[in-house]
Amino acid sequence: MAKKELLKVEGLKQYFPIKGGFLGRTVNHVKALDGISFTVYEGETVSIVGESGCGKSTTGRAILRLEEPTEGSVTFQGTDLTKISTREMRKFRKDLQIIFQDPYASINPRQTVASLLNEAMHIQNVLPANERRARIEELLETVGLRPYQADRYPHEFSGGQRQRIGIARALSVDPKLIICDEAVSALDVSIQAQVLNLLEELQDEYGLTYLFISHDLGVVRHISDRIIVMYLGKIVEIADKTSLFENPQHPYTKALLSAIPVPDPDAVKNRIVLKGDVPSPIDPPAGCRFHTRCPFATDKCRTEEPLLRTTSAMKGEHEAACHYIEEIAAGTMIEK
Amino acid sequence: MNEMENILVVNNLQTTFKTDAGDIRAVDGVSFTVPKGKTIGIVGESGSGKSITSLTILRLLASNGRVNGGEVLFKGKDLLKLPEKAMREIRGNQISMIFQEPMTSLNPVYTVGQQIGETIQIHKKVGKKEAIQQSIEMLKLVGIPSPEKRVKQYPHELSGGMRQRVMIAMALACDPEILIADEPTTALDVTIQAQILELIKDLQNRLGMSVIMITHDLGVVAETCDYVAVMYAGQVVEYSDVRSLFKNPKHPYTLGLLNSLPRHDIEQEKLIPIKGMVPSPHEMPVGCRFAPRCPVATELCHNKMPQLLNTNDSNAEQIRCWMFSDEWDGDSEVTLYGEKRTIKG
C-alpha cells in the first residue's frame, strides 16, 4: 500500500517567553519544543508519548496554531499552515480537529448537545441548516449516544458520555485528522475501553487519521501504528509499534517502558529506575538532554547533541537519537 | 496458610453522606483484613468508595458524612467507638496517611522542616531543635539529597516527586504501624512513580509496617500488594491474594476490569469493555450493584443483593456474586467476556 503523506512537521519550535525584571521584559524562554520533525500518513494512528513537560501537548497545539509556533513548518496536504492567514487557517480547521482530555472543561455548559454540534457545522458550513438536525442525531448514534439526548445539557452526561460528545463534535465537520490530546486519560478503565474501541471503529469507517497524544503506554500500544517518544522538547525515538515495544533502542525509552507497573504479579521485572527529575525546559542540558539521568552518559553526551539515526539492528523506519545505540546493544557501555 | 496476625479488621463498614438530593451510601458493606507487615490494595474506579473507606477508618469524614454501621478493629480496638482525643493519638502516630496531590496536602507557607517537625513535636513530645534534627533524618530516609538544605525549603521549591517524598517522610515520622496511601503516585510521571513505589516498599521492609494501597491502577496493585479488595459502587465485590486475583479473577466485574485494560507489555487484539456505566449513588440497584452491566445477570441478581462470602477455595477468598452460591439460578455454564466458565452448584 502506497503511503500518502497527510501531515509533515519540520523543525517545529515553540518557545514561550518568560517576562520578568523591572520592565517586564522577556528574560528567558521555556523551550517547550525545540526542533521536532515527523510525518503522519493518511489513515494511520501516530502517537506521541512522554512525561509531563516533554512537549507532547504543545506539539498538538502548535500544529493547529492554537499557539503560534516560534519556528518550523507544518505542512498539511501540501499547504504550510504556519504561513497562511488566520482566516485561511479557519478553513483548514475543518480538516484538523482536536479532542481534549477534560470533557468537563472543553464543552460549553450552557449549550445543548444539538446546539454545540450545530454551531460547529454552521461555522464550517458543512450542511444546509435544514439537514443538520438529522445529521446531529445520526452523529450521536455513531458515537453511542441516543438521538433523544440531543437537547440535553453537558451536566446531564457522565464523563465518558461527555467525551463521546467531544468526539461527535470533532466528527461533525468531516475532518481528515483528529488530534486526541490525552482524550481517554480522565476516564475509568471500563469506560476508557469503550471510547478506545469507538475511536478504532470510527477510524475504519471514515478513514480517519489520528495523532494520539498520551502518557499511557498501554493505551498507546493498543491504538497506534507508529509511536514518537519525546523527552524535554525533543524526539528521542520514533518507530512502528512492534519495534518500539519489542526492540526499544534509546535508554530513555527503555527506562520509560520498564517503569510502568505490569498488571501481572508473576511478570519478570528488570526495572531501570531513573535517578532524579526531568530538568527544567528553561535551561535544558547541553548535548543530549537525557544525559543528566542516563546511566550510560559520557562526555560526548554532555557536549554533542545526538541526532535521530538508524542502525542495522533496527527495522523499518525506526530511529533513535543516541550516540551509543550500537555500544549499548552490544553491552560494551559501562553503566554508572 | 498460616493464621496471620491481622493488625486491622474492617467489618461491614457503612458510610452515608447527607446531600440535598437525599442520602448517599458511599460505602455500603466494606470488609477486609490487613495482615501485619503486608500490603493490601483497595482497587476500584471513580466513585467506588475506596477513598471514603480510608477516610472512615481514620474518622476524617466531612461534616455531612456519618458512619452508620460496621467496625474498624485496630489491634482489637474499635476505632469507631474511641473518643476523639484517643483517636487523635492514633492518627499520624499509629496509622498515618499520604494523599494523591502532595501540593495540596502540604502547607505552602511553612518550610518542609517545620511541617515534619510539627508531627514529631506533637507525637513524640520533643523540643523544636530535636524535631528539626529528626526531620533531617526522615528526609534522608526517604532519599532526598542534601536534606540539611531541603529542610529549610518551602513546598513550591520542590518537584512533584520530592513533595511526595516529603509527605511520606511526614507520615512515617512517628513509625506508624499502618500507612494508608491514597493514590500516592497517580499525579506523578511513571519514572517518578517507579521511584516512589520502590521507596514505599523498601521502607515497609525496613520498618515492618502494613500498607493500605488505594489505587485505580491494576499495575500498581500487581506490583505492590499482597492482598486485594476490589470495590464497586461502595462495596467490596472480591477479596483475595494478589496472585489469585490476576490469575483467576472470579467476580464478573474483576474480570471485566482486567479485560478493559490496555496493556503495554503484551499485544492485544481488541479490548473487551464493560458495557454501560456505574450506577448513580442516588439510584443504586436493589439487587447486585453490578447486575445492570453484568453479561450473565439473572432474575436473582437483579432482585436480591448478594453477600460477600467465603469461596470454597482455601486462600481466604471472598466473593460477592450469586454465581458462587447454591442459590444460583442461571445456567451451569456461562460465557463471560469470551471466557467459558463452569459454575459449581
Side-chain angles (χ1 to χ4, degrees), chain A residues 87-143:
Chain A
R87 181 180 274 271
E88 281 175 296
M89 184 63 206
R90 191 174 289 174
K91 280 186 224 144
F92 278 96
R93 293 195 201 280
K94 177 183 171 307
D95 292 333
L96 294 147
Q97 284 289 308
I98 185 164
I99 306 168
F100 295 100
Q101 167 170 5
D102 188 351
Y104 295 80
S106 53
I107 291 176
N108 184 346
R110 296 192 179 206
Q111 255 182 321
T112 62
V113 175
S115 108
L116 184 87
L117 298 178
N118 185 53
E119 187 179 23
M121 288 192 272
H122 169 72
I123 290 170
Q124 292 298 350
N125 208 1
V126 179
L127 276 177
N130 57 3
E131 289 171 34
R132 283 192 207 132
R133 178 71 196 194
R135 174 71 179 141
I136 287 166
E137 293 185 353
E138 190 187 314
L139 276 167
L140 289 180
E141 283 199 316
T142 310
V143 297

Side-chain angles (χ1 to χ4, degrees), chain B residues 176-188:
Chain B
E177 291 175 73
I178 301 177
L179 173 70
I180 303 178
D182 189 356
E183 303 269 10
T185 58
T186 306
L188 306 175

Side-chain angles (χ1 to χ4, degrees), chain A residues 51-52 158 161 188-190 194 197 218 221-222 241 245 260-266 271 274 276-277 293, chain B residues 45-46 159 189-193 195 219 222-223 243 246-247 262-265 267 271 273-274 276-277 293:
Chain A
E51 301 179 280
S52 336
S158 69
Q161 287 176 324
D188 277 319
V189 275
S190 70
Q194 296 173 356
N197 283 351
R221 179 167 196 165
H222 185 75
K241 167 169 73 178
F245 282 96
I260 311 163
V262 180
D264 177 357
D266 292 342
R271 175 150 302 157
L274 290 177
D277 292 312
R293 300 172 82 195
Chain B
E45 300 182 285
S46 335
S159 69
D189 278 318
V190 277
T191 60
I192 309 298
Q193 165 171 287
Q195 294 173 359
E223 230 158 74
R243 226 180 153 270
F246 283 92
K247 296 295 164 187
R263 303 267 299 253
H264 75 280
D265 57 323
E267 202 63 56
L271 300 175
I274 302 173
M277 52 190 167
R293 304 176 76 188

Side-chain angles (χ1 to χ4, degrees), chain A residues 86-235:
Chain A
T86 34
R87 181 180 274 271
E88 281 175 296
M89 184 63 206
R90 191 174 289 174
K91 280 186 224 144
F92 278 96
R93 293 195 201 280
K94 177 183 171 307
D95 292 333
L96 294 147
Q97 284 289 308
I98 185 164
I99 306 168
F100 295 100
Q101 167 170 5
D102 188 351
Y104 295 80
S106 53
I107 291 176
N108 184 346
R110 296 192 179 206
Q111 255 182 321
T112 62
V113 175
S115 108
L116 184 87
L117 298 178
N118 185 53
E119 187 179 23
M121 288 192 272
H122 169 72
I123 290 170
Q124 292 298 350
N125 208 1
V126 179
L127 276 177
N130 57 3
E131 289 171 34
R132 283 192 207 132
R133 178 71 196 194
R135 174 71 179 141
I136 287 166
E137 293 185 353
E138 190 187 314
L139 276 167
L140 289 180
E141 283 199 316
T142 310
V143 297
L145 296 171
R146 305 276 160 74
Y148 68 80
Q149 292 172 314
D151 296 311
R152 293 195 179 170
Y153 287 91
H155 74 265
E156 299 175 73
F157 294 91
S158 69
Q161 287 176 324
R162 252 179 267 201
Q163 201 55 293
R164 287 172 193 270
I165 296 169
I167 296 171
R169 176 171 62 179
L171 283 179
S172 66
V173 295
D174 299 320
K176 295 197 171 74
L177 176 76
I178 299 183
I179 297 175
C180 305
D181 188 358
E182 300 277 11
V184 296
S185 306
L187 307 176
D188 277 319
V189 275
S190 70
I191 305 299
Q192 174 179 287
Q194 296 173 356
V195 175
L196 283 174
N197 283 351
L198 172 67
L199 287 172
E200 286 182 315
E201 285 158 23
L202 295 173
Q203 181 165 41
D204 289 345
E205 202 175 324
Y206 300 101
L208 295 169
T209 306
Y210 293 135
L211 185 61
F212 202 89
I213 297 163
S214 177
H215 70 281
D216 185 329
L217 281 126
V219 169
V220 162
R221 179 167 196 165
H222 185 75
I223 200 149
S224 319
D225 297 307
R226 288 191 305 131
I227 295 160
I228 295 168
V229 183
M230 287 186 66
Y231 185 77
L232 215 55
K234 295 267 187 196
I235 294 177

Side-chain angles (χ1 to χ4, degrees), chain B residues 32-302:
Chain B
F32 59 87
T33 53
V34 183
K36 199 169 163 42
K38 299 282 179 190
T39 301
I40 150 160
I42 300 182
V43 65
E45 300 182 285
S46 335
S48 60
K50 52 192 193 304
S51 290
I52 299 300
T53 301
S54 65
L55 293 177
T56 310
I57 292 172
L58 279 178
R59 289 179 37 193
L60 291 171
L61 292 173
S63 58
N64 63 339
R66 230 184 65 210
V67 183
N68 288 35
E71 47 182 14
V72 177
L73 301 171
F74 174 62
K75 296 202 280 192
K77 238 181 331 189
D78 190 351
L79 296 185
L80 300 178
K81 296 211 173 72
L82 284 187
E84 181 53 33
K85 197 160 171 236
M87 192 61 211
R88 206 177 293 165
E89 282 301 305
I90 287 178
R91 244 183 250 140
N93 204 10
Q94 290 169 292
I95 306 178
S96 52
M97 186 160 179
I98 53 175
F99 300 91
Q100 171 172 352
E101 200 9 271
M103 194 64 214
T104 50
S105 18
L106 286 170
N107 192 330
V109 299
Y110 289 101
T111 64
V112 161
Q114 286 170 324
Q115 298 187 55
I116 305 175
E118 186 188 11
T119 320
I120 297 171
Q121 269 178 288
I122 291 171
H123 287 298
K124 290 192 179 168
K125 315 256 183 313
V126 296
K128 211 170 183 177
K129 269 219 176 93
E130 172 63 23
I132 294 289
Q133 207 46 48
Q134 288 191 20
S135 306
I136 295 174
E137 286 305 310
M138 288 313 298
L139 290 180
K140 211 177 280 171
L141 182 76
V142 298
I144 289 185
S146 45
E148 293 83 4
K149 197 181 111 202
R150 293 290 184 188
V151 83
K152 296 189 193 114
Q153 289 187 323
Y154 291 90
H156 77 266
E157 298 177 80
L158 308 174
S159 69
M162 285 286 182
R163 281 183 213 140
Q164 198 54 288
R165 282 175 195 264
V166 169
M167 282 300 298
I168 294 172
M170 203 186 293
L172 300 187
C174 299
D175 302 320
E177 291 175 73
I178 301 177
L179 173 70
I180 303 178
D182 189 356
E183 303 269 10
T185 58
T186 306
L188 306 175
D189 278 318
V190 277
T191 60
I192 309 298
Q193 165 171 287
Q195 294 173 359
I196 298 292
L197 291 180
E198 199 108 319
L199 173 70
I200 294 177
K201 221 181 220 176
D202 177 52
L203 292 172
Q204 180 177 24
N205 289 338
R206 276 202 268 168
L207 310 174
M209 61 183 178
S210 310
V211 176
I212 301 177
M213 181 72 77
I214 296 166
T215 180
H216 70 281
D217 187 328
L218 288 158
V220 171
V221 170
E223 230 158 74
T224 59
C225 300
D226 300 298
Y227 298 89
V228 191
V230 180
M231 285 191 66
Y232 184 78
Q235 301 181 320
V236 172
V237 295
E238 180 159 1
Y239 176 84
S240 80
D241 66 281
V242 71
R243 226 180 153 270
S244 316
L245 190 92
F246 283 92
K247 296 295 164 187
N248 186 15
K250 293 205 165 57
H251 196 282
Y253 175 65
T254 313
L255 192 65
L257 210 53
L258 288 168
N259 272 321
S260 313
L261 189 67
R263 303 267 299 253
H264 75 280
D265 57 323
I266 49 167
E267 202 63 56
Q268 290 156 297
E269 263 305 298
K270 202 159 170 62
L271 300 175
I272 311 169
I274 302 173
K275 65 174 190 199
M277 52 190 167
V278 179
S280 147
H282 296 289
E283 299 158 69
M284 281 295 179
V286 285
C288 171
R289 295 192 170 170
F290 188 60
R293 304 176 76 188
C294 184
V296 295
T298 62
E299 276 291 306
L300 177 67
C301 303
H302 285 289

Side-chain angles (χ1 to χ4, degrees), chain A residues 25-78:
Chain A
R25 279 187 298 221
T26 301
V27 289
N28 214 332
H29 286 95
V30 175
K31 294 166 182 130
L33 275 184
D34 209 2
I36 65 161
S37 305
F38 62 90
T39 308
V40 178
Y41 299 100
E42 229 165 68
E44 71 171 348
T45 301
V46 175
S47 290
I48 305 181
V49 300
E51 301 179 280
S52 336
C54 73
K56 53 190 192 300
S57 289
T58 307
T59 307
R61 299 179 66 87
I63 290 170
L64 288 174
R65 281 177 64 188
L66 297 179
E67 253 103 39
E68 294 293 334
T70 312
E71 222 182 282
S73 67
V74 176
T75 312
F76 181 76
Q77 291 191 314

